[in-house]
Amino acid sequence: MYQLAQINIARMKGVDIQDPIMKEFVDNLDHVNQLAENSKGFIWRLKDEDNNAVGFNPLNDVQMIVNISVWEDVESLQHYTYKTFHSYFLKKRKDWFQKYGKSHYALWWIRKGDYPEIEEALQRLNYLQENGVSTYAFTFQKIYQNTDGIGDVLPKNENLIKK
C-alpha cells in the first residue's frame, strides 16, 4: 500500500518571513495549515515547535520556504490545493514569491506509514526540475499511479540534491 508525498518550495520576495511583504501570507499560515490537517485524506505534514515549517532551512537560505506533506491519494491533495481556501494562496503566490524553476512542487508515492525526509524530498524536486516528470517525481499535470513500488529508487542512482 502507498500514500502520496509532496514537497513545495518557494523563494520569498521579502528578505525573510518577517518582511512586511509577507504579512498576509504569515497571517493566514496557521489557518491554511489547520485546513490541511482537517482535510479528507490528510496524513502528515512537516512542522516545527511553532506548528509550521517556516523554521526549517535545509537550503541555508532564509528566503526559502519548504513544505512537505503526506496524503492518502492524489484526489485528496488536489481537492485541498484547488478547491479550498488554499487556492487563494495559489492565486496570490506571485505577490509573495519569486518564480522557482520549472516546478515549485513534486509528488511521489511512498510506502504507507512512511514519512519523507527533507533531503529526499529536495532530491525528488531537483530530479523533476532537471529531468521532467517520471515515476520518481511527478506533478498534477502528469500523474503516475501507485503501482507496486514505482518511484522507490532514484533513476540511474543519481544524486541531485542542490544547496
Side-chain angles (χ1 to χ4, degrees), residues 82-123:
Y82 300 113
K83 304 286 187 197
T84 69
F85 178 66
H86 181 271
S87 66
Y88 172 77
F89 280 73
L90 293 178
K91 292 173 188 152
K92 299 274 293 181
R93 183 175 178 85
K94 291 179 183 177
D95 291 352
W96 306 310
F97 301 108
Q98 301 172 33
K99 181 165 174 41
Y100 185 82
K102 294 177 184 174
S103 181
H104 65 275
Y105 76 98
L107 310 173
W108 69 99
W109 295 105
I110 60 175
R111 296 188 193 301
K112 189 173 184 177
D114 286 351
Y115 305 101
E117 297 289 330
I118 295 173
E119 188 171 282
E120 175 195 5
L122 290 169
Q123 184 177 52

Side-chain angles (χ1 to χ4, degrees), residues 51-101:
N51 201 38
N52 62 58
V54 298
F56 292 97
N57 189 4
L59 299 172
N60 296 317
D61 183 342
V62 295
Q63 285 185 288
M64 298 298 294
I65 296 177
V66 175
N67 179 21
I68 301 170
S69 61
V70 176
W71 297 78
E72 288 178 4
D73 51 45
V74 171
E75 295 77 19
S76 297
L77 178 56
Q78 278 181 314
H79 183 269
Y80 164 73
T81 302
Y82 300 113
K83 304 286 187 197
T84 69
F85 178 66
H86 181 271
S87 66
Y88 172 77
F89 280 73
L90 293 178
K91 292 173 188 152
K92 299 274 293 181
R93 183 175 178 85
K94 291 179 183 177
D95 291 352
W96 306 310
F97 301 108
Q98 301 172 33
K99 181 165 174 41
Y100 185 82

Side-chain angles (χ1 to χ4, degrees), residues 14-70:
V15 296
D16 62 24
I17 197 70
Q18 307 303 323
D19 192 295
I21 198 169
M22 301 303 298
K23 183 175 180 1
E24 184 181 20
F25 176 82
V26 171
D27 287 351
N28 286 283
L29 195 55
D30 287 341
H31 175 68
V32 171
N33 287 335
Q34 183 178 23
L35 180 63
E37 290 181 351
N38 293 328
S39 291
K40 180 180 183 280
F42 173 85
I43 296 172
W44 172 88
R45 70 180 174 87
L46 178 69
K47 59 184 175 179
D48 61 16
E49 61 276 354
D50 293 325
N51 201 38
N52 62 58
V54 298
F56 292 97
N57 189 4
L59 299 172
N60 296 317
D61 183 342
V62 295
Q63 285 185 288
M64 298 298 294
I65 296 177
V66 175
N67 179 21
I68 301 170
S69 61
V70 176

Side-chain angles (χ1 to χ4, degrees), residues 127-162:
Y127 185 87
L128 176 66
Q129 292 274 357
E130 293 194 7
N131 300 284
V133 296
S134 67
T135 58
Y136 187 72
F138 54 93
T139 66
F140 288 128
Q141 286 72 39
K142 178 144 176 75
I143 297 167
Y144 286 86
Q145 293 305 315
N146 57 340
T147 56
D148 203 25
I150 64 168
D152 286 348
V153 180
L154 177 64
K156 301 176 190 169
N157 293 325
E158 298 176 51
N159 185 1
L160 295 173
I161 298 174
K162 293 186 176 174

